[in-house]
Amino acid sequence: HLLLFLLFVGPFNCFASYSRATELFYSLNEGLPAGVLIGSLARDLQLPTAGGQHPASLQPPLSFTLASHGLGGQYVQLDNHSGELHTSAVEIDREALCMESSGSTILGASAAVSSSSLSPESCLLLLDVLVLPQEYFRLVKVKIAIRDVNDNAPRFPVPRIRLSVPENAPVNTRLAIEHPALDPDMGTNGVQTYRLRDNYGVFTLDVEENENGERTPYLIVMGALDRETQDEYVTVIIAEDGGTPPLVGSATLTIGISDINDNCPQFNDSQLNVTLYGNSSLGTHVAAVHAADMDLGSNAEITYSYSQKVPQPSRDLFHLNESTGAITLSTKVDGDTPRLHRLIILGNGPGCIPAVITVLVTIIKVMMRPPEVVPRFIANEVEGVVYLKELEPINTPIAFFTIKDPDEKYKVSCYLDGDGPFRLSPYKPYNNEYLLETTKPLDFETQQLYEISVVAWNSEGFHVKKVIKVQVLDDNDNSPVFSEQLIELSIEENNVPNAFLTKLHAVDADSGERGQVSYFLGPDAPSYFALDKTTGVLTVSTQLDREEKEKYRYTVKAVDSGFPPRESIATVTITVLDKNDNSPRFINKDFSFFVPENFPGFGEIGVISVTDADAGQNGWVALSVLNGSDIFVIDTGKGVLRAKVSLDREQQSSYVLWIEAVDGGDPALSSTAKITILLLDINDNPPLVLFPQSNMSYLLVLPSTLPGSPITEVYAVDKDTGMNAVIAYSIIGRRGPRPESFRIDPKTGNITLEESLMQNDYGLYRLLVKVSDHGYPEPLHSTVMVNLFVNDTVSNESYIESLLRKEPDISVEEKQPQISIEPTHKKRESASCMPTLVALSIISLGSIALVTGMGIYICLRKGKKHHRADENLEVQIPLNGRINLHMLEKKPVEISNI
C-alpha cells in the first residue's frame, strides 16, 4: 500500500499517512494532557461525512470502534461517531512503555507488528479500528509513534565511583569510568557530555560512543602523579544531556593513586659510633640501625645485612637482626678481641640499590667486672615501669636495690639520678641494701611520668646505671571546677518556650571517666528550667514574666564520674528584662469626685491613681484629658486633676471626663478611665421672689372677707439645692390701720386674714415680707413689699399709687421665721357648764366643715403653685425689682458625652 506522511511541527501537531488499504500513521509527544487531538480517521481516510456533497439523508452514519482494548487502548479516546482520536487521562510515558533500547518497541491493542522503516529509537502504539457500516467497512491499522521529550535527568547507578590510577601513569593515559550515567530519554535528550567539577590540573574527561550509541566517559591523565605527594583526589563527575534546557546528574568520583616501587630505603645517618665495655655480658644491646622507604606495603619492606666487606670475626662477635636492624653482642669479649670493629650494614629494598651505613664499635677492655645493681620491686612493676597511684602517702616504698661487686674486691656506692619526689637511702642494718621510696605525695595532674636512675660505682670509678620509669596512676582527687562561680544571665520576658540561656562549662583535671563531667540543677531551681546532663546547655521551658518574678537565683552542680563522685556548685542568677507588655492600669475604671461649686481655679479636684507593672521607660505613664481639656487639666506626673476656672453648679452641675494613660514603651500602650465630677451646692443664691412682681403692686381686699380666708401669696424660688433651697416666709414689718390682721404661712407664703375687718380697718396695709433660705453657714434672704388696700372699691387709683410711692415708715422685726406652724388659737379654759359644751360642739362641727373646705381650696392652690414652680425652676430674676421676662426662659445645659 502507498503510505502518505504528513509532518507537523510542535508538541500538539501530528502527522498522518493513510491509504485506502486501511493504514494510518501518527506521532505525538509523550506526557501530553488529556483531550489533545491525535488525528481524525474519517478525514484522513477520506470517508464521506454529514457535511459532504451528498445529502445527509442518503449517508448512513459512520461508526468507529476499537477492535480490542489492550495496553494501547488505555492511552487514547476514540469518538465513535466522528472518528477523532484524542489522548486519554492516562498520561503517556515513553520510558515506561518502551524499556528496550534496541529495535522498535511496539505496543498494540491487538497484536504487535514490526516495521523496518522505523528508527531504532521508535516507540509505537498499534490500534485496530473497525469502520462501519458495511458500505465503508474496513479494518484500519493505526500506528502512533511516541516522540521523546527531555523529562528525565541523567542518573549514575551508584552515588560514589572509585577509580585507581598508578602513580607512574604517563600523560594521556585513558581509564574507562565504570558505571556511566543512564538517561531513559533517547537521542539528543540522552547523556551527551561529562565534566569534572575540579580537575586539580592533572585530569580531564573524554566521551567515546560505541556502535549502539552508548557513551562511556574516560578519565585522562594530563599531568604527573606522585602518590607520596598526594595519594587521593576527590571530585564530582557531572553528566549532562542534550535537552533544552539541559538536565544534569552527578556522583562523587574518588581517584586513588596506587603505589609503585619508585622509592628506595635511606638511612638518616651515614655513620654511627658506639662504645662497648669489654666485660659486657652476652646479648648486650650494642646499636640499632633504621632505614626508611616512602613506598607502601611490599614496596616498603626493608631487610638488613652485613656487607661482604665486614670480616667474619666481626660477624661472629656481633649479631645483626635482619628485620629490626638491632646489633647485639653474640660472643664473649676476650683479650684477643680487636678493640675497633667497622660494621658496614646494608638496607635492602625490592628492586633497589641497598642503602649503606657504617657502625664503628669501640671496645674498652677492663680488667674487672662492673658493679651489679639488682632490683626487687615492692610496687607494681611491668617491664621496667613502676605504677604508683597519686595521693599515695609519703615514704611509700617502691623497690629494694642490692648493690654488690662481682669480684668482691672494690667498695661499691650508689646514688639516685633524676628529678622527682623520690629518695634512695641505705636500708640498715644491711650494708649493700638500698630502699627507693617517695618523699611526698604524687600528683597525676602535675606530672604523669618520672624517669630516674640508680647509679652504682666502685672505687675504681666504674659506673653502672639502672633506669626506672615511674608511671603515676590517676585517682579521683579533683572536683569539677566551673569557669565562673557566679553565672549572671539575662533574658527578655515573654521568651519562646525552650529558649537557650547559656552553656555551662566545668573542667575536671582528672583523666578518663573520672574527668567526665555531668551537670544537674540544684534542688532550689524552679521546675521550668532544664539543664542538659551531657552538654550543660541551660534552657527555660516556659515564658517568663518579669512582672511575676524579676530575678531567679538557684544552684547548679557539676559531678564527675569517679568513685566516689566529686562535685562542685555554682550559682546562677537570671534577670528577666522588661518588655512593654502591660498597659497602664487605673486603680478604678470610674472615678467620682464631689467638688463644691465656686471652687477656685487650678485647685486640686482629686488624684487619678494609675500604675504600670512594667519597669523603666516602659513603666513611665503620662496622663491627658481626652475631652474637656479647655476647662480641666491634669498633672502628668502626680495625676492631680485641676479646673482652670471656677465652676458654677447653677451653670452645669456635673462633668464627665475621659482620662488617657500612655506609657513610655515602644510601641506605647494606653488605657482610659471615666471621671465624673459632681458639683456640690453652696448657698450662693438668695431666694428670688417671683410674686408679687413689684413693690408698687397692690391688692383690693373687701371688708366682707371672712377671717381665715386666703388673701394672696408670696412666691419665691432658690436656684440652690437641698437645704440651701428650702425657703421660709415671715412678715418682718407692718403698717396699716390694724396691721396684725394679716399673717403669712412660713412654708407656703400664703397670706390669710386673721380677724374680721371693721369700719375703722379701711385703708392701705403694707407688709414687709422676708423670704429666707436655710443655707449653711449663713442663710440668705430677700424682701418684698406686699400692699393690701381694704375697701369696697378702688375709686381713686392715683391716690393709692401716690401712697405707694411714699417711703413707708416700717420698723423691722428681728423675729426669725419658723418652719413649723404653731396653732393660732389659744386654749380656752374649759367650763363646767353644759351650755358651754353645746356651744363648743356646734363650733367644732362648723370648724370641721370650714377646715374641709379650706383643705380642698389649699390643695387646688398648691397644685397651681407647684405647676408654677416647675415652670420657674432654675430661673433667676433680680431681687426687689421688675421681672425681666427674657430671664424666665429656661436655657438647656449641654453635657458633652463620649
Side-chain angles (χ1 to χ4, degrees):
H1 301 283
L2 180 62
L3 298 178
L4 300 178
F5 295 93
L6 301 176
L7 181 62
F8 298 91
V9 180
F12 296 99
N13 295 330
C14 61
F15 63 88
S17 70
Y18 66 92
S19 78
R20 295 191 178 272
T22 69
E23 185 172 288
L24 294 176
F25 184 80
Y26 300 99
S27 67
L28 76 160
N29 290 347
E30 63 173 326
L32 295 179
V36 176
L37 178 65
I38 301 174
S40 174
L41 302 185
R43 183 191 63 203
D44 297 334
L45 293 173
Q46 297 183 353
L47 296 176
T49 60
Q53 299 176 357
H54 303 285
S57 61
L58 301 178
Q59 297 179 11
L62 294 176
S63 174
F64 300 87
T65 308
L66 289 175
S68 63
H69 295 276
L71 178 62
Q74 64 177 325
Y75 297 104
V76 297
Q77 286 183 341
L78 177 62
D79 191 307
N80 294 345
H81 301 290
S82 66
E84 289 186 347
L85 199 62
H86 295 83
T87 57
S88 69
V90 181
E91 185 178 292
I92 299 176
D93 185 359
R94 183 186 180 283
E95 290 73 36
L97 293 176
C98 307
M99 297 300 295
E100 298 181 5
S101 60
S102 63
S104 301
T105 302
I106 305 176
L107 302 171
S110 58
V113 298
S114 62
S115 177
S116 60
S117 62
L118 301 174
S119 67
E121 300 176 354
S122 298
C123 178
L124 296 182
L125 287 178
L126 278 187
L127 304 173
D128 290 343
V129 181
L130 296 175
V131 182
L132 296 174
Q134 186 65 31
E135 290 89 335
Y136 303 100
F137 172 76
R138 65 186 67 187
L139 176 64
V140 182
K141 297 285 187 178
V142 180
K143 298 179 182 179
I144 304 174
I146 309 302
R147 291 197 297 263
D148 183 47
V149 298
N150 190 29
D151 57 346
N152 292 279
R155 184 175 180 273
F156 287 90
V158 292
R160 297 180 180 275
I161 302 173
R162 185 170 184 86
L163 193 64
S164 180
V165 181
E167 62 176 325
N168 63 342
V171 176
N172 294 326
T173 298
R174 300 171 65 88
L175 299 170
I177 298 177
E178 298 180 359
H179 311 295
L182 304 176
D183 193 329
D185 297 325
M186 302 298 293
T188 58
N189 292 332
V191 178
Q192 298 297 315
T193 60
Y194 290 86
R195 66 177 185 273
L196 295 177
R197 180 172 294 174
D198 185 1
N199 58 21
Y200 295 96
V202 293
F203 298 105
T204 188
L205 288 178
D206 190 17
V207 180
E208 292 185 3
E209 185 175 357
N210 59 15
E211 297 177 353
N212 296 328
E214 296 177 348
R215 295 173 180 267
T216 303
Y218 281 82
L219 181 70
I220 302 176
V221 179
M222 301 297 294
L225 303 176
D226 185 5
R227 188 204 63 80
E228 288 72 34
T229 303
Q230 185 169 351
D231 61 354
E232 187 178 75
Y233 298 86
V234 180
T235 185
V236 175
I237 182 172
I238 300 173
E240 183 176 307
D241 63 22
T244 304
L247 303 178
V248 298
S250 63
T252 301
L253 177 62
T254 301
I255 305 170
I257 309 302
S258 58
D259 184 53
I260 63 169
N261 190 25
D262 58 346
N263 291 280
C264 291
Q266 289 183 352
F267 288 106
N268 291 332
D269 299 315
S270 61
Q271 181 171 314
L272 185 63
N273 299 320
V274 295
T275 300
L276 179 68
Y277 289 103
N279 59 352
S280 298
S281 59
L282 296 179
T284 298
H285 178 77
V286 178
V289 295
H290 178 73
D293 192 321
M294 299 294 292
D295 293 326
L296 294 176
S298 60
N299 293 331
E301 291 181 356
I302 301 174
T303 59
Y304 302 94
S305 62
Y306 284 125
S307 172
Q308 295 180 356
K309 297 180 181 181
V310 178
Q312 190 62 39
S314 295
R315 295 181 182 220
D316 296 337
L317 183 62
F318 300 104
H319 174 262
L320 174 63
N321 189 305
E322 292 183 356
S323 301
T324 63
I327 303 172
T328 56
L329 185 65
S330 59
T331 59
K332 266 291 191 180
V333 176
D334 54 24
D336 297 330
T337 302
R339 297 184 59 185
L340 182 64
H341 297 266
R342 186 181 183 86
L343 305 178
I344 300 174
I345 300 175
L346 306 178
N348 306 294
C352 290
I353 298 175
V356 180
I357 187 172
T358 301
V359 179
L360 293 178
V361 181
T362 301
I363 299 177
I364 300 175
K365 291 185 178 181
V366 293
M367 300 304 296
M368 55 185 173
R369 290 184 292 176
E372 294 182 357
V373 179
V374 181
R376 289 172 293 166
F377 292 97
I378 302 172
N380 183 27
E381 179 266 340
V382 177
E383 295 182 355
V385 180
V386 177
Y387 295 91
L388 289 178
K389 289 185 177 181
E390 65 174 334
L391 302 182
E392 289 282 1
I394 300 176
N395 301 327
T396 296
I398 299 174
F400 278 114
F401 289 89
T402 301
I403 309 299
K404 61 182 179 179
D405 180 17
D407 300 327
E408 297 182 354
K409 296 180 180 179
Y410 306 99
K411 180 181 179 181
V412 180
S413 300
C414 71
Y415 64 92
L416 187 64
D417 186 23
D419 297 330
F422 305 102
R423 176 176 59 212
L424 182 67
S425 57
Y427 190 73
K428 297 179 180 180
Y430 306 102
N431 294 327
N432 58 345
E433 297 289 343
Y434 292 84
L435 176 63
L436 178 63
E437 58 186 353
T438 61
T439 58
K440 63 179 182 179
L442 304 177
D443 187 3
F444 175 85
E445 289 71 36
T446 303
Q447 188 170 346
Q448 293 85 36
L449 182 66
Y450 296 90
E451 186 171 314
I452 56 177
S453 300
V454 176
V455 181
W457 82 99
N458 58 17
S459 56
E460 297 297 322
F462 196 85
H463 291 75
V464 174
K465 181 184 293 187
K466 179 66 176 179
V467 178
I468 301 171
K469 294 182 179 180
V470 179
Q471 176 68 54
V472 182
L473 301 178
D474 188 29
D475 198 0
N476 193 31
D477 60 334
N478 290 278
S479 299
V481 178
F482 282 100
S483 56
E484 296 176 312
Q485 287 298 312
L486 178 60
I487 304 166
E488 296 179 329
L489 308 173
S490 63
I491 184 174
E492 279 194 343
E493 62 176 331
N494 304 331
N495 55 282
V496 296
N498 300 315
F500 173 83
L501 292 175
T502 189
K503 183 175 182 181
L504 303 180
H505 181 66
V507 178
D508 194 315
D510 294 324
S511 62
E513 292 185 354
R514 292 172 291 272
Q516 295 179 359
V517 180
S518 300
Y519 302 91
F520 301 94
L521 290 172
D524 54 345
S527 60
Y528 39 83
F529 288 96
L531 180 59
D532 189 278
K533 175 182 178 181
T534 305
T535 63
V537 173
L538 181 63
T539 57
V540 56
S541 61
T542 186
Q543 282 190 349
L544 300 180
D545 186 359
R546 188 203 66 82
E547 290 73 37
E548 181 179 338
K549 190 171 183 179
E550 184 176 5
K551 288 188 178 294
Y552 295 86
R553 185 183 182 92
Y554 53 86
T555 57
V556 290
K557 294 191 298 183
V559 183
D560 63 22
S561 301
F563 183 80
R566 300 175 69 94
E567 66 181 39
S568 62
I569 297 176
T571 301
V572 175
T573 62
I574 301 175
T575 301
V576 182
L577 304 179
D578 184 55
K579 291 181 69 176
N580 192 30
D581 58 343
N582 289 277
S583 301
R585 183 177 180 182
F586 291 92
I587 60 172
N588 295 313
K589 276 299 180 183
D590 295 321
F591 290 85
S592 296
F593 296 106
F594 295 89
V595 181
E597 64 174 331
N598 301 331
F599 195 70
F602 292 97
E604 181 178 325
I605 294 175
V607 177
I608 311 299
S609 297
V610 61
T611 60
D612 194 314
D614 294 324
Q617 186 72 16
N618 296 331
W620 181 85
V621 179
L623 297 174
S624 61
V625 181
L626 294 180
N627 64 321
S629 58
D630 55 338
I631 300 177
F632 297 94
V633 66
I634 191 167
D635 189 330
T636 296
K638 298 180 180 179
V640 177
L641 181 64
R642 305 175 188 275
K644 299 179 182 179
V645 296
S646 179
L647 304 178
D648 188 358
R649 189 202 64 81
E650 285 73 36
Q651 291 184 2
Q652 186 170 338
S653 61
S654 65
Y655 296 87
V656 176
L657 305 179
W658 289 93
I659 303 297
E660 182 183 39
V662 181
D663 63 21
D666 184 17
L669 301 178
S670 64
S671 61
T672 58
K674 179 181 178 182
I675 311 297
T676 302
I677 301 173
L678 300 174
L679 296 183
L680 300 178
D681 183 52
I682 63 173
N683 194 26
D684 58 344
N685 291 283
L688 177 63
V689 178
L690 299 180
F691 185 83
Q693 297 180 1
S694 171
N695 290 335
M696 301 298 292
S697 62
Y698 64 94
L699 181 67
L700 177 64
V701 180
L702 298 177
S704 60
T705 303
L706 297 177
S709 299
I711 304 300
T712 185
E713 69 174 344
V714 177
Y715 180 70
V717 295
D718 196 315
K719 295 176 67 175
D720 295 323
T721 60
M723 293 302 295
N724 295 332
V726 175
I727 297 175
Y729 301 89
S730 62
I731 299 175
I732 60 172
R734 303 169 185 264
R735 184 177 176 81
R738 191 153 58 96
E740 64 275 2
S741 300
F742 301 95
R743 67 175 296 274
I744 190 168
D745 189 302
K747 292 184 178 180
T748 64
N750 291 331
I751 298 176
T752 58
L753 181 63
E754 286 290 295
E755 299 175 356
S756 299
L757 297 174
M758 303 299 179
Q759 187 71 27
N760 297 332
D761 297 336
Y762 284 35
L764 182 63
Y765 290 79
R766 307 195 73 174
L767 306 178
L768 181 60
V769 178
K770 179 181 180 181
V771 184
S772 176
D773 60 25
H774 283 65
Y776 179 85
E778 183 178 351
L780 301 178
H781 69 275
S782 300
T783 58
V784 65
M785 187 70 72
V786 178
N787 300 303
L788 302 176
F789 185 63
V790 179
N791 201 6
D792 292 327
T793 60
V794 179
S795 58
N796 191 352
E797 291 185 4
S798 60
Y799 171 71
I800 298 175
E801 293 176 357
S802 64
L803 294 177
L804 294 176
R805 283 193 292 270
K806 293 181 179 180
E807 188 69 26
D809 185 12
I810 299 176
S811 59
V812 178
E813 303 174 4
E814 297 299 330
K815 181 180 179 181
Q816 294 293 332
Q818 299 295 327
I819 296 298
S820 60
I821 301 175
E822 298 293 336
T824 56
H825 298 283
K826 297 182 179 179
K827 281 187 176 183
R828 305 287 186 179
E829 294 182 357
S830 60
S832 59
C833 57
M834 182 59 68
T836 305
L837 294 176
V838 173
L840 290 175
S841 299
I842 295 172
I843 294 173
S844 298
L845 292 175
S847 300
I848 291 174
L850 179 61
V851 169
T852 301
M854 292 182 65
I856 294 173
Y857 176 79
I858 292 173
C859 289
L860 293 176
R861 296 284 294 179
K862 282 187 176 180
K864 183 179 179 181
K865 185 182 75 170
H866 290 166
H867 176 70
R868 287 187 297 179
D870 293 337
E871 292 179 347
N872 295 283
L873 187 62
E874 302 287 348
V875 176
Q876 178 179 1
I877 62 174
L879 296 176
N880 298 329
R882 295 184 181 272
I883 297 178
N884 194 345
L885 294 180
H886 76 273
M887 298 183 66
L888 295 176
E889 298 178 2
K890 294 185 179 179
K891 295 183 180 179
V893 180
E894 294 182 0
I895 300 177
S896 60
N897 295 314
I898 295 179

